[in-house]
Amino acid sequence: MLRCLCLVLVSILCLPNIVCSAQKARIAILPFTVSPSDGMEYLITKIPDIIAKQLRKNGAVVVDSGPAADLSWGKEPQNHDEIREFGKKIDAQYVVWGSLNLQQEEYNIDLKIVEVWSIDPPKVFSDKGVGIQNLSAVLMTMAQDISLKVFKQKKVAKIIVEGNRRLEDDAILRVIKTKPGDIYLPENISKDLKIVYEMGYFEDIRVESEDSPEGLVIIFRVKERPTIRKIRFKGNKVYEPEEITEEALTINTGSILNIFKINSDIKRIEDLYKDKNYHNVKVTHNVHHLDNNQADLEFVIKEGKKIKIKEIVFEGNTAYSVRKLGKNMKTKKKGFFSWLTSSGDLNIEDLNQDVMRLTSYYHINGFIQARVGEPLIEEKGEWIYVTIKIEEGSQFKVGKVDVEGDLILSKEELIKGLKIGGEKFCNRKVLQDDVILLTDVYSDRGYFKADVAPRIDKNFYDLTADITFIIRKGDPVYFEKILISGNTKTRDKVIRRELNVDEQALYSGSRLKRGVRNLYRLDYFEDIKVNTIGGSQEDKVILKVDVTEKPTGMFTFGAGYSSVENLFGTVSVSQRNLFGRGQTLGLKAEVGGSTNTYSINFTEPWLFDMPLSAGFSVFKQERDYDEYDKDTTGGSVRFSYPIFDYTRAYISYSYSVSDINDIDMLNASQAVKDLEGENLTSSLSTTLRYDSRDRLINATEGSEYSFTVKYAGGPLGGDIAFTKYTLEAAWYVPVAWKIVWFMHTEAGYVTENSDGLLPDYERFYLGGMNSMRGFDWRDITPMDPPGDPNGIKVGGNKKLLFNFELHRPLFKESGLVLIVFYDVGNAYDDHEKVDINNVRESWGYGVRWYSPIGPIRLEYGRIVNPREGEDSNGNWEFSMGNAF
């Protein structure tokens, strides 16, 4: 900077004497005479203002003329001596006055200027024109003429840049403020020289001027800095040169050596080291000049020693101990396992966040006046000491809670939903939640612009805080338009029908939130952005929905191993958004050592543009059980309709023919033997399902309940007759640290009807990835005789299953999730009672990746207390998918 200032002084001294000796003229401007003045009185002072503005721009000092009316010049002043005396009184060198004559659209303007300390007559400048709107431009031109002719100032005719080879003229001229046609002002040229120097590309700049018939030609003679041939580092041990270059440098080889960029990169290198707690790092640079205006740039790094936080000191805390406050901070002092936990590391961003966390901790515990100061960081030798000053104030209990303002419900109804009244101490977080709750109440009734502000009246006598929510509802707001963008495949109507709000309808915040949740549950979109902007009128808003679509077609395959199937695999092709209509079409094949299944299904979620879902499926299955073979062909039709919030009712009818053959007469149960030959199944199923999950895949909150009754035989006909009841529930609960607690339970009961048979394949078996992990598929079942591991598997008529899981995202953006699970369950025969103490258990862990190419599961299960013949080492199972 010092060098820059010296260059400015030298450059100015090099300019012509006439320019350097110029002084700022002091000018007084009197009110103008306007004739005729009817309706044009404003020009009396407006004209002097325009002239003054231009003269100031040209470097003059405009002196306040004061109460010029006291001179009693009723018309244009003619006494020049009196004007000079007036100018002397206000310390002006020149006085300007004049007159404007208007004749319809034409005007004539005369402008006079007299030098106060001279006896020369006034100089007169005149002009005329058409249209009063052009007067301003004419006045500015006349002021320019005054500067040139009266004050002997010179006009800039041209600006030239010389000496630059790599940087183009235009790049330099763009930053120079002085332009051709401007009055030459030395101070402006000085500022321009400084600006050009601060570009960082020149090591020397000189400014010269030359006279020309048109005015002054200003020449910026520059000497460019060299280009960088190589960048080297010296003294670096913690980071490799490649790491420093990639993480910290913005300057590179081949670029002009820019001192400002170098200084910026030095700061970035030092910050890079400080991230690893090398807070004493010092970085300098050397420039090694070479031929052909090139140079090598060398960064010299003195790393110093790694230092960590020795102590975190709190000052002013009396309500909470150092230990309790420390638990609310991410920043920690150095501990025994610092090499593993990174305790002791100083991260300024984390420390600033800690101040906010501590402030919030006090505020949610009633210390509503608490303030936490900016941390004081001291580096002493090899240690860092952090001091945080706290002003706790008093702890306030919750006093009276009230609402005032525009009430759309009774006070009792509004206060009833507020939670702050149930708090012992004034809790800022609960208070904010209540503000959101009241805002939602109003927005649900169309008051989108409702303002809710809590007023806290502190009583210092008994340390209570009376809280009054002041509500201003504003006017009702309507949805003017719903604009949908980003959907290249999904049709607009598929999105609109899920939004739950309509154009021209009253605004509803809860319905809009529910609509966005519905869109996420479709699982058609990677991202959904919802925004509201002002409409054509104050009471209207435009809803903008911008979606980012993701693949909805799926090609999946999976594989596994079990004692029944040996190696088996599944392949399926499905499209969940067929032709962008929201329809689902799927084809699936399962091929294994014992089972071959082929199926096709189709679902229309909005039949006749109603929320009536309809679908059908057709399948063929060949199944080789240990005791028999089963070949089945069949199909089904199904319908569902929403009946309550998050609740749908389902009904389906299925028809199938099963051929039971190749029965092992020694090991098969009597129930299997009774099925030999073809068996026709005609069944009807009804289900009531509640589902409030935030999304169908990788849900993080919500719950799911379902109750299903399946009836076969009787008036439906067929050889198979049974009634089957299934109850299922699942909960997703966010815990902490992004962990989701998942609980699932399932219970079932099936009974044979008098007019037919209960087939083995409708009985209950547990085991495998989707029920009891660690066990083989269908491995958990009652035996005949009971308890004999070598007996005959007969299937249960009752089942009970519990699954407990913890989900922790490893990398949320990539969809990678770590799980730990514990499974409990069993299947029971007719003569057994469901006994929670008589269950099988397994535990394990796994990884799920909800990847862009589809879901992938890899899970390991281990049996708790394995019985004779069961694998005590556990089983790995996996499945994968691929999207198109």
Side-chain angles (χ1 to χ4, degrees):
M1 184 60 69
L2 179 61
R3 182 178 183 182
C4 178
L5 293 175
C6 290
L7 288 171
V8 172
L9 293 174
V10 170
S11 301
I12 293 174
L13 291 173
C14 293
L15 299 176
N17 291 333
I18 189 173
V19 177
C20 293
S21 63
Q23 297 180 357
K24 292 187 176 182
R26 296 176 58 82
I27 306 171
I29 306 175
L30 302 179
F32 269 49
T33 300
V34 179
S35 177
S37 61
D38 295 342
M40 294 295 175
E41 293 85 353
Y42 71 96
L43 291 175
I44 295 173
T45 56
K46 181 67 175 178
I47 292 174
D49 288 344
I50 295 173
I51 297 172
K53 182 178 180 181
Q54 183 62 37
L55 289 176
R56 287 193 189 98
K57 184 178 179 182
N58 293 345
V61 175
V62 178
V63 181
D64 185 7
S65 61
D70 292 347
L71 296 175
S72 302
W73 292 326
K75 297 182 179 180
E76 181 182 348
Q78 301 296 325
N79 191 330
H80 301 157
D81 290 336
E82 191 175 357
I83 292 176
R84 287 189 176 95
E85 290 301 319
F86 174 73
K88 293 176 182 179
K89 288 181 181 180
I90 60 175
D91 193 24
Q93 294 174 273
Y94 298 89
V95 178
V96 174
W97 75 97
S99 62
L100 175 69
N101 295 311
L102 299 169
Q103 295 180 358
Q104 294 181 349
E105 291 295 322
E106 297 182 354
Y107 63 84
N108 292 295
I109 185 165
D110 292 321
L111 188 152
K112 300 177 181 179
I113 180 167
V114 66
E115 188 174 357
V116 172
W117 298 98
S118 171
I119 60 174
D120 294 336
K123 290 183 173 58
V124 180
F125 299 84
S126 299
D127 206 336
K128 61 182 179 179
V130 177
I132 197 70
Q133 68 273 11
N134 300 318
L135 181 61
S136 178
V138 171
L139 290 170
M140 292 170 68
T141 301
M142 296 177 77
Q144 193 90 330
D145 291 341
I146 291 175
S147 299
L148 294 171
K149 296 176 182 179
V150 178
F151 306 146
K152 300 295 190 293
Q153 289 182 310
K154 293 198 174 185
K155 183 168 63 173
V156 176
K158 192 175 183 180
I159 300 175
I160 300 174
V161 180
E162 294 182 354
N164 54 311
R165 296 180 180 179
R166 291 182 296 269
L167 202 64
E168 294 182 356
D169 289 1
D170 288 345
I172 303 171
L173 293 173
R174 271 198 300 268
V175 302
I176 296 175
K177 304 299 183 184
T178 302
K179 303 298 179 184
D182 290 348
I183 296 296
Y184 177 84
L185 296 174
E187 61 267 30
N188 289 351
I189 297 297
S190 298
K191 293 176 182 177
D192 287 334
L193 187 146
K194 184 178 179 181
I195 291 171
V196 174
Y197 184 80
E198 288 179 345
M199 294 176 70
Y201 298 116
F202 311 108
E203 63 180 23
D204 189 23
I205 307 173
R206 296 180 182 275
V207 182
E208 301 174 1
S209 68
E210 296 178 355
D211 282 311
S212 73
E214 294 80 17
L216 283 177
V217 176
I218 308 299
I219 305 170
F220 284 80
R221 300 190 189 278
V222 300
K223 182 181 178 181
E224 291 181 326
R225 294 182 183 276
T227 56
I228 300 173
R229 188 189 69 164
K230 290 183 180 179
I231 299 176
R232 301 196 298 263
F233 301 93
K234 182 179 178 181
N236 55 300
K237 296 178 181 178
V238 175
Y239 290 100
E240 294 294 329
E242 295 78 12
E243 294 179 282
I244 300 176
T245 301
E246 183 179 348
E247 297 290 334
L249 294 193
T250 59
I251 197 167
N252 50 49
T253 57
S255 61
I256 298 175
L257 197 149
N258 186 318
I259 189 63
F260 299 104
K261 285 189 176 182
I262 291 173
N263 290 335
S264 175
D265 285 351
I266 286 176
K267 176 67 167 54
R268 290 167 64 91
I269 294 172
E270 289 179 344
D271 289 343
L272 189 65
Y273 272 84
K274 288 177 182 179
D275 286 343
K276 285 195 174 183
N277 292 290
Y278 288 86
H279 293 274
N280 291 327
V281 63
K282 298 295 180 185
V283 182
T284 58
H285 79 283
N286 295 322
V287 177
H288 303 282
H289 291 275
L290 305 170
D291 295 336
N292 300 321
N293 201 25
Q294 289 187 318
D296 289 346
L297 176 62
E298 180 182 57
F299 290 97
V300 181
I301 302 171
K302 293 182 180 180
E303 296 179 334
K305 291 185 178 180
K306 192 172 187 178
I307 59 177
K308 290 205 170 193
I309 300 173
K310 176 70 172 179
E311 198 67 51
I312 300 176
V313 178
F314 298 96
E315 294 183 358
N317 59 306
T318 57
Y320 299 109
S321 66
V322 172
R323 184 176 181 182
K324 184 164 286 188
L325 293 176
K327 288 182 177 179
N328 289 278
M329 296 179 61
K330 188 175 181 179
T331 305
K332 307 290 182 183
K333 68 179 182 179
K334 183 179 181 298
F336 183 77
F337 295 102
S338 62
W339 55 274
L340 181 63
T341 62
S342 298
S343 63
D345 288 354
L346 176 61
N347 184 303
I348 299 300
E349 185 177 343
D350 287 343
L351 190 57
N352 291 334
Q353 290 291 327
D354 286 337
V355 170
M356 298 177 63
R357 293 186 187 98
L358 289 171
T359 305
S360 176
Y361 181 69
Y362 272 96
H363 286 177
I364 65 177
N365 285 284
F367 294 90
I368 56 179
Q369 295 177 304
R371 294 189 301 173
V372 180
E374 183 178 348
L376 175 63
I377 302 171
E378 297 180 281
E379 298 177 10
K380 298 180 181 178
E382 299 180 1
W383 294 102
I384 299 173
Y385 294 83
V386 178
T387 302
I388 301 176
K389 294 183 179 181
I390 300 173
E391 294 181 14
E392 293 183 334
S394 300
Q395 189 179 31
F396 288 84
K397 295 181 179 180
V398 176
K400 297 178 181 178
V401 179
D402 198 5
V403 291
E404 293 181 1
D406 303 326
L407 306 185
I408 59 175
L409 299 175
S410 67
K411 282 190 177 184
E412 292 74 17
E413 289 179 281
L414 292 173
I415 295 175
K416 182 180 179 181
L418 302 180
K419 296 182 180 179
I420 190 65
E423 297 288 318
K424 181 178 180 181
F425 295 104
C426 187
N427 187 321
R428 289 277 189 184
K429 184 178 183 305
V430 175
L431 190 63
Q432 187 59 36
D433 290 343
D434 284 344
V435 169
I436 295 173
L437 186 146
L438 288 174
T439 304
D440 287 345
V441 169
Y442 276 72
S443 70
D444 281 348
R445 289 160 175 79
Y447 297 101
F448 171 66
K449 299 180 181 179
D451 179 55
V452 180
R455 186 185 71 214
I456 302 177
D457 299 317
K458 295 179 282 293
N459 188 334
F460 291 92
Y461 177 74
D462 60 2
L463 295 180
T464 59
D466 295 335
I467 301 169
T468 304
F469 293 91
I470 310 299
I471 304 174
R472 297 289 178 264
K473 67 180 182 179
D475 296 324
V477 175
Y478 298 82
F479 289 111
E480 181 177 7
K481 293 180 182 178
I482 299 176
L483 304 179
I484 300 173
S485 61
N487 53 318
T488 58
K489 178 182 177 181
T490 307
R491 302 194 179 194
D492 275 14
K493 78 170 187 177
V494 173
I495 298 175
R496 288 177 182 273
R497 69 194 186 194
E498 298 292 342
L499 276 176
N500 212 28
V501 294
D502 300 306
E503 293 180 346
Q504 305 305 319
L506 198 63
Y507 182 93
S508 172
S510 64
R511 292 183 65 184
L512 181 56
K513 290 178 182 177
R514 174 64 186 276
V516 174
R517 189 185 183 104
N518 290 344
L519 290 178
Y520 273 111
R521 282 168 52 85
L522 288 176
D523 200 34
Y524 298 165
F525 312 109
E526 286 183 0
D527 190 26
I528 302 170
K529 295 179 181 178
V530 178
N531 191 22
T532 52
I533 60 176
S536 60
Q537 299 177 19
E538 285 293 322
D539 64 343
K540 295 183 183 297
V541 295
I542 297 174
L543 177 64
K544 298 183 68 176
V545 181
D546 183 24
V547 299
T548 303
E549 292 181 315
K550 66 179 181 181
T552 53
M554 188 78 68
F555 168 71
T556 65
F557 68 92
Y561 180 86
S562 74
S563 59
V564 176
E565 289 287 343
N566 294 320
L567 183 64
F568 67 91
T570 65
V571 178
S572 68
V573 179
S574 65
Q575 175 56 259
R576 294 179 291 103
N577 188 14
L578 190 64
F579 306 123
R581 298 174 180 269
Q583 299 165 336
T584 300
L585 177 66
L587 296 90
K588 185 176 182 180
E590 299 181 9
V591 180
S594 302
T595 306
N596 297 326
T597 303
Y598 310 93
S599 65
I600 179 172
N601 66 79
F602 174 81
T603 302
E604 165 56 71
W606 282 67
L607 189 63
F608 310 124
D609 285 331
M610 298 169 52
L612 173 64
S613 174
F616 70 87
S617 62
V618 178
F619 69 92
K620 178 176 176 57
Q621 183 184 70
E622 301 170 355
R623 191 66 171 271
D624 296 341
Y625 294 90
D626 289 341
E627 299 83 12
Y628 62 95
D629 293 345
K630 171 175 167 281
D631 298 338
T632 305
T633 302
S636 65
V637 292
R638 56 189 177 276
F639 300 90
S640 73
Y641 193 83
I643 55 173
F644 304 115
D645 199 24
Y646 295 112
T647 305
R648 294 182 75 95
Y650 298 78
I651 185 169
S652 65
Y653 172 77
S654 63
Y655 181 92
S656 64
V657 177
S658 300
D659 182 15
I660 307 299
N661 56 70
D662 204 10
I663 299 174
D664 184 349
M665 294 299 178
L666 294 177
N667 296 310
S669 65
Q670 186 59 45
V672 171
K673 296 176 183 178
D674 293 341
L675 292 171
E676 185 174 12
E678 287 191 351
N679 297 274
L680 188 151
T681 303
S682 177
S683 63
L684 188 68
S685 296
T686 58
T687 301
L688 187 65
R689 181 186 299 275
Y690 172 90
D691 188 354
S692 65
R693 292 175 294 170
D694 57 346
R695 55 190 69 196
L696 300 182
I697 298 176
N698 197 19
T700 59
E701 62 178 337
S703 57
E704 181 183 15
Y705 308 93
S706 68
F707 178 66
T708 301
V709 178
K710 183 177 181 181
Y711 178 83
L716 300 177
D719 307 304
I720 305 300
F722 63 89
T723 304
K724 191 175 190 178
Y725 306 90
T726 306
L727 180 65
E728 189 172 0
W731 299 267
Y732 296 84
V733 182
V735 184
W737 304 298
K738 300 179 182 179
I739 295 175
V740 176
W741 172 243
F742 169 68
M743 296 168 286
H744 170 261
T745 182
E746 189 174 346
Y749 174 74
V750 61
T751 180
E752 183 177 274
N753 296 338
S754 58
D755 54 344
L757 300 173
L758 172 61
D760 172 75
Y761 45 83
E762 290 292 349
R763 288 181 171 270
F764 298 116
Y765 293 84
L766 298 179
M769 184 175 254
N770 295 316
S771 60
M772 293 283 295
R773 286 154 288 193
F775 292 90
D776 287 334
W777 180 69
R778 287 172 57 98
D779 207 35
I780 300 177
T781 177
M783 307 296 289
D784 185 19
D788 184 355
N790 298 316
I792 298 173
K793 296 179 179 180
V794 296
N797 72 328
K798 297 178 286 291
K799 75 170 180 180
L800 187 63
L801 174 66
F802 297 94
N803 305 109
F804 304 95
E805 296 180 358
L806 287 175
H807 299 183
R808 174 64 165 89
L810 295 178
F811 304 99
K812 186 176 181 180
E813 293 77 12
S814 61
L816 192 62
V817 178
L818 176 67
I819 71 161
V820 179
F821 65 82
Y822 174 65
D823 297 335
V824 180
N826 208 346
Y828 305 90
D829 201 358
D830 297 344
H831 61 276
E832 294 178 298
K833 291 184 179 180
V834 176
D835 186 356
I836 194 64
N837 296 314
N838 179 21
V839 291
R840 304 302 310 276
E841 302 168 76
S842 66
W843 68 274
Y845 48 85
V847 176
R848 295 177 187 171
W849 183 22
Y850 300 95
S851 71
I853 63 170
I856 297 175
R857 287 178 67 182
L858 177 63
E859 296 173 17
Y860 170 82
R862 192 182 183 100
I863 301 173
V864 178
N865 299 320
R867 296 175 182 176
E868 182 182 348
E870 293 179 336
D871 189 354
S872 60
N873 295 322
N875 290 325
W876 281 100
E877 294 184 273
F878 75 95
S879 67
M880 357 178 115
N882 184 27
F884 64 86

